């Protein structure tokens, strides 16, 4: 029986590490993945690559019985306003499970909401929204103190299990947030459409 790996996702800032091998950023902010999935992602002008990583990542089994190591490649881009503050963030993550193990497609807690599904350029995604307050240190670098994000999750299986995720994060005033939910329905709707449109534009 395959062990299921607990997903650990949606962090805003990471520290850098080794250069990606099979997945890389080419000229003009184009992310190339040679497999799982084979995609070409064109990040719009105005975004800067500010972090990337390729290597092993420890991940726990969802039944608490132990852990294993997956391979991850991820790339993070940010867009600044004319004052130099971060306006929004794009994060792309490719994960490859060890042989004989699979990813648990469910979210680990109730901080994710508005679950839906969308297919973009032949890839089927389960999508979620998330909103939360940042730490005071991180908030100093962004246009507002709270975040609202949309996560696009896709799972692929051949001889191994793979996960491909895109997250789009924007920043909102914290008065729009109550108990981990955005209380302004118009803002949620506008952000949701904006996220979908951006990911469609990026996907090739």
């Amino acid at each position: 029986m395959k062990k299921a790996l607990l997903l650990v996702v949606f962090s805003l800032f990471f520290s850098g590490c080794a250069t990606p091998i099979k997945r890389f950023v080419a000229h003009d902010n184009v992310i190339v993945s040679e497999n799982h999935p084979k995609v070409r992602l064109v990040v719009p002008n105005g975004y800067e690559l500010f972090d990337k990583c390729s290597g092993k990542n420890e991940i726990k089994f969802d039944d608490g019985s132990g852990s294993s190591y997956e391979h991850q490649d991820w790339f993070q881009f940010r867009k600044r306003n004319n004052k130099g503050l971060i306006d929004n963030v794009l994060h792309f993550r490719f994960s490859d499970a060890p042989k004989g193990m699979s990813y648990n497609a469910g979210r680990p807690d109730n901080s994710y909401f508005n679950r839906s599904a969308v297919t973009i350029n032949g890839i089927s995604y389960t999508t979620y929204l998330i909103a939360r307050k940042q730490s005071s240190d991180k908030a100093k670098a962004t246009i507002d103190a709270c975040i609202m994000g949309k996560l696009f999750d896709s799972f692929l299986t051949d001889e191994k299990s793979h996960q491909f995720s895109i997250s789009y994060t924007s920043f909102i005033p914290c008065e729009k947030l109550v108990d981990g939910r955005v209380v302004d329905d118009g803002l949620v709707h506008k952000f949701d459409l904006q996220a979908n449109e951006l990911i469609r534009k990026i996907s090739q």
Side-chain angles (χ1 to χ4, degrees):
M1 178 181 295
K2 289 185 177 181
K3 285 282 189 181
L5 296 168
L6 178 65
L7 298 178
V8 180
V9 297
F10 215 97
S11 291
L12 182 57
F13 300 109
F14 296 82
S15 60
C17 53
T19 304
I21 300 173
K22 293 182 179 178
R23 295 138 180 164
F24 56 92
V25 178
H27 297 294
D28 298 324
N29 281 355
V30 177
I31 299 173
V32 178
S33 172
E34 296 178 355
N35 52 32
H36 311 311
K38 185 175 182 179
V39 291
R40 184 174 179 270
L41 305 165
V42 182
V43 179
N45 292 332
Y47 285 88
E48 58 175 327
L49 175 67
F50 78 102
D51 217 349
K52 62 183 180 180
C53 180
S54 179
K56 289 184 178 181
N57 178 57
E58 184 177 11
I59 192 166
K60 295 181 179 180
F61 301 139
D62 61 358
D63 62 3
S65 64
S67 64
S68 187
Y69 287 88
E70 64 178 355
H71 177 83
Q72 268 194 15
D73 297 283
W74 53 254
F75 311 91
Q76 206 154 24
F77 295 80
R78 62 188 174 191
K79 188 175 184 180
R80 296 179 182 272
N81 67 7
N82 56 12
K83 295 181 179 179
L85 296 174
I86 299 172
D87 184 81
N88 57 74
V89 175
L90 280 165
H91 180 79
F92 304 86
R93 184 166 60 90
F94 303 83
S95 303
D96 307 303
K99 192 171 183 178
M101 298 181 183
S102 62
Y103 289 105
N104 182 344
R107 293 289 109 195
D109 56 53
N110 63 1
S111 61
Y112 298 88
F113 59 99
N114 282 27
R115 174 174 174 156
S116 187
V118 64
T119 298
I120 299 175
N121 197 26
I123 299 177
S124 297
Y125 297 94
T126 302
T127 66
Y128 307 84
L129 296 181
I130 188 171
R132 66 177 179 224
K133 187 175 182 178
Q134 299 185 91
S135 68
S136 57
D137 286 342
K138 290 181 179 179
K140 292 176 182 178
T142 61
I143 60 173
D144 272 305
C146 284
I147 71 169
M148 179 162 59
K150 185 163 187 178
L151 176 68
F152 296 74
D153 252 353
S154 180
F155 297 90
L156 309 95
T157 303
D158 49 16
E159 70 277 5
K160 290 184 178 181
S161 181
H162 310 275
Q163 182 197 5
F164 171 51
S165 298
I166 305 173
S167 64
Y168 171 65
T169 303
S170 188
F171 303 91
I172 60 174
C174 287
E175 59 263 27
K176 301 286 187 179
L177 188 63
V178 176
D179 296 328
R181 298 291 185 270
V182 179
V183 293
D184 186 334
D185 290 341
L187 179 61
V188 171
H189 180 69
K190 181 180 178 181
F191 172 80
D192 198 40
L193 293 177
Q194 181 181 349
N196 286 348
E197 181 180 350
L198 178 61
I199 303 308
R200 289 186 189 279
K201 180 179 179 181
I202 287 169
S203 302
Q204 297 285 317

